[in-house]
């Protein structure tokens, strides 16, 4: 979702989230780690965070009406017994239980539930870079713009030198070159269904009926 939409505010410098509306019914997000390494999954404004070893799953129930929401994975984390520490990628202020957004680079699953026309809007975004391959899918696809999308290319391995950072690949938006350019095309060519810059909505924003599906976010 791009910066000109009401559903998300996109800024890597924003760390606190506005309030969300709670409804009676909820939508489930099954977050699964299929990577051969541990991921510390994060979810805001619902969920917080959880360690997921390879093969583990975390189910998040988000109230209908939730918006400006995102799920991402953190890598190479070290937390103490009080849940304080740090992560190489996706760190959210040095805590296990995230209340703000993660530090770039991080592959993002974004969503807004039960918005206009009773639709859920969702996407994979690389506007804040890439750290972990991801698939984002409705459990009950209905055709049209309601189908699975993924970004599973070898972006970290092929990352341009000017975007490389430990553990991931920065998007040009994070270094001040935000728009349709050669660097954003590096991401778009490898993950055509994912946002590579703001206003990339036509090929990157997906929608499903709010009352007929749940979702899966799969790492690797």
């Amino acid at each position: 979702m791009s910066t000109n939409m009401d559903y998300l505010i996109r800024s890597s410098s924003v760390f606190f989230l506005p309030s969300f509306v709670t409804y009676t019914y909820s939508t489930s997000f099954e977050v699964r780690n299929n990577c051969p390494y541990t991921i510390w999954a994060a979810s805001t404004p619902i969920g917080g965070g959880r360690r997921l070893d390879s093969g583990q799953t975390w189910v998040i129930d988000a109230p209908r009406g939730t918006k400006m929401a995102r799920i991402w994975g953190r890598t190479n984390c070290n937390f103490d017994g009080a849940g304080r520490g740090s992560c190489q990628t996706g760190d959210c202020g040095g805590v296990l239980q995230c209340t703000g957004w993660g530090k770039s680079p991080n592959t993002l699953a974004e969503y807004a539930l039960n918005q206009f026309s009773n639709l859920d809007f969702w996407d994979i975004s690389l506007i804040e870079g890439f750290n972990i391959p991801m698939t984002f899918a409705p459990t009950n696809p209905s055709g049209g713009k309601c189908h699975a999308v993924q970004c599973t290319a070898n972006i970290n391995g092929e990352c341009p030198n000017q975007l490389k950072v430990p553990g991931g690949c920065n998007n040009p938006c994070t270094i001040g070159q935000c728009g349709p350019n050669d660097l954003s095309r590096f991401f778009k060519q490898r993950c055509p269904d994912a946002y590579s810059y703001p206003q990339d909505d036509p090929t990157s924003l997906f929608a499903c009926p709010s009352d007929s599906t749940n979702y899966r976010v799969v790492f690797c």
Side-chain angles (χ1 to χ4, degrees), residues 51-132:
R51 173 179 172 144
L52 293 179
D53 293 328
S54 182
Q56 289 187 324
T57 295
W58 176 28
V59 177
I60 302 163
D61 291 321
R64 293 180 66 186
T66 300
K67 56 186 177 180
M68 295 183 292
R70 52 176 58 182
I71 296 168
W72 71 98
R74 295 168 287 176
T75 60
N76 295 323
C77 301
N78 187 14
F79 293 105
D80 63 20
R84 298 189 177 277
S86 63
C87 300
Q88 183 181 53
T89 65
D91 189 81
C92 62
V95 294
L96 174 62
Q97 297 296 330
C98 295
T99 58
W101 293 346
K103 182 180 178 181
S104 302
N106 53 129
T107 316
L108 295 174
E110 302 178 309
Y111 65 90
L113 301 177
N114 196 32
Q115 301 299 305
F116 68 87
S117 299
N118 295 316
L119 292 172
D120 298 338
F121 294 93
W122 52 280
D123 65 84
I124 293 177
S125 175
L126 306 180
I127 291 178
E128 295 186 11
F130 177 99
N131 64 338
I132 306 170

Side-chain angles (χ1 to χ4, degrees), residues 196-208:
S196 58
Y197 64 92
Q199 291 81 48
D200 193 14
D201 304 88
T203 60
S204 308
L205 182 62
F206 298 87
C208 292

Side-chain angles (χ1 to χ4, degrees), residues 2-215:
S2 63
T3 50
N4 64 335
M5 298 199 67
D6 293 332
Y7 310 123
L8 289 174
I9 302 171
R10 187 184 302 286
S11 172
S12 59
S13 64
V14 176
F15 296 100
F16 297 98
L17 297 169
S19 61
F20 57 91
V21 179
T22 301
Y23 289 80
T24 303
Y25 302 104
S26 64
T27 297
S28 292
F29 290 81
E30 180 186 285
V31 182
R32 181 176 178 83
N33 179 15
N34 276 353
C35 301
Y37 49 85
T38 298
I39 287 173
W40 286 260
S43 174
T44 57
I46 306 295
R50 181 171 296 188
R51 173 179 172 144
L52 293 179
D53 293 328
S54 182
Q56 289 187 324
T57 295
W58 176 28
V59 177
I60 302 163
D61 291 321
R64 293 180 66 186
T66 300
K67 56 186 177 180
M68 295 183 292
R70 52 176 58 182
I71 296 168
W72 71 98
R74 295 168 287 176
T75 60
N76 295 323
C77 301
N78 187 14
F79 293 105
D80 63 20
R84 298 189 177 277
S86 63
C87 300
Q88 183 181 53
T89 65
D91 189 81
C92 62
V95 294
L96 174 62
Q97 297 296 330
C98 295
T99 58
W101 293 346
K103 182 180 178 181
S104 302
N106 53 129
T107 316
L108 295 174
E110 302 178 309
Y111 65 90
L113 301 177
N114 196 32
Q115 301 299 305
F116 68 87
S117 299
N118 295 316
L119 292 172
D120 298 338
F121 294 93
W122 52 280
D123 65 84
I124 293 177
S125 175
L126 306 180
I127 291 178
E128 295 186 11
F130 177 99
N131 64 338
I132 306 170
M134 177 185 286
T135 299
F136 194 179
T139 58
N140 185 29
S142 58
K145 298 288 279 186
C146 184
H147 61 82
V149 297
Q150 63 181 11
C151 180
T152 57
N154 184 25
I155 288 180
N156 288 343
E158 300 173 355
C159 185
N161 287 334
Q162 61 266 52
L163 300 178
K164 274 185 180 177
V165 293
C169 186
N170 273 327
N171 184 282
C173 289
T174 65
I175 61 171
Q177 302 178 37
C178 203
N181 53 46
D182 287 343
L183 290 176
S184 67
R185 280 189 284 274
F186 163 80
F187 291 93
K188 197 65 177 177
Q189 289 168 355
R190 288 158 179 78
C191 294
D193 290 330
Y195 273 95
S196 58
Y197 64 92
Q199 291 81 48
D200 193 14
D201 304 88
T203 60
S204 308
L205 182 62
F206 298 87
C208 292
S210 294
D211 58 356
S212 63
T213 191
N214 296 305
Y215 298 90

